[in-house]
Amino acid sequence: MDIIKLSMDWAKAEVFSAKIVWLFSVIELLTAIGFWYWGRTPIAKAFIWPLLVMGLLMIGVGVGLYTANHPRITQFENEYHREPKAFLEAELQRTSKSQRDLALVFKILPAIVIFAAVVIMLTPASIWRAIAVTVILTAAFLMVVDSNTEARNDAYHSQLLALMP
């Protein structure tokens, strides 16, 4: 297995994830606009700001994913040709750290969903329900994206380990 191709494919998949996050953020923003334009009920009006804020937040998440991973596509090749063993060790360390980080994400996001669900059950106020529903929607989406990221990271890490001398 060519380590450069493996690494570049991983980085390209991460860039694709950033684009998926951007698509979701656009959907959230368009939904906020739709509620603003067509919403007539108090709950519809309550969704405008939470969806707008989360949509903008998700744009930031997408930008972070993109700016962190797009440069890697070309950096990987340069770093590998400069020092192949150091590149492999650095990628193993980075993917190992990512495994720990993702394990934490899959503890935090479900806790946020549970807290938001409790808010929905205990609060009759439209704005708090709209905030909680928007948080659950966004956290669930992030868990979908991060599930794929975790699987891709685990596979990449395993393939890197197999390439160790």
Side-chain angles (χ1 to χ4, degrees), residues 23-108:
L23 176 62
F24 181 77
S25 67
V26 168
I27 291 168
E28 278 189 320
L29 292 173
L30 289 174
T31 304
I33 292 167
F35 278 128
W36 170 76
Y37 189 74
W38 289 294
R40 301 289 177 249
T41 64
I43 191 73
K45 297 238 179 253
F47 269 103
I48 297 168
W49 282 105
L51 285 168
L52 185 65
V53 169
M54 281 299 191
L56 294 173
L57 177 68
M58 294 303 288
I59 287 173
V61 170
V63 167
L65 277 171
Y66 187 86
T67 57
N69 292 300
H70 190 265
R72 286 185 175 144
I73 294 170
T74 54
Q75 287 174 349
F76 279 160
E77 190 166 13
N78 295 336
E79 291 173 7
Y80 178 76
H81 288 303
R82 190 172 32 249
E83 186 66 42
K85 186 173 182 187
F87 171 76
L88 183 58
E89 289 172 1
E91 279 300 284
L92 280 167
Q93 287 178 356
R94 189 184 60 72
T95 55
S96 180
K97 181 185 179 306
S98 291
Q99 287 174 326
R100 290 188 302 275
D101 292 347
L102 286 163
L104 183 61
V105 163
F106 284 109
K107 290 181 175 102
I108 293 171

Side-chain angles (χ1 to χ4, degrees), residues 8 33 119:
M8 289 175 64
I33 292 167
V119 168

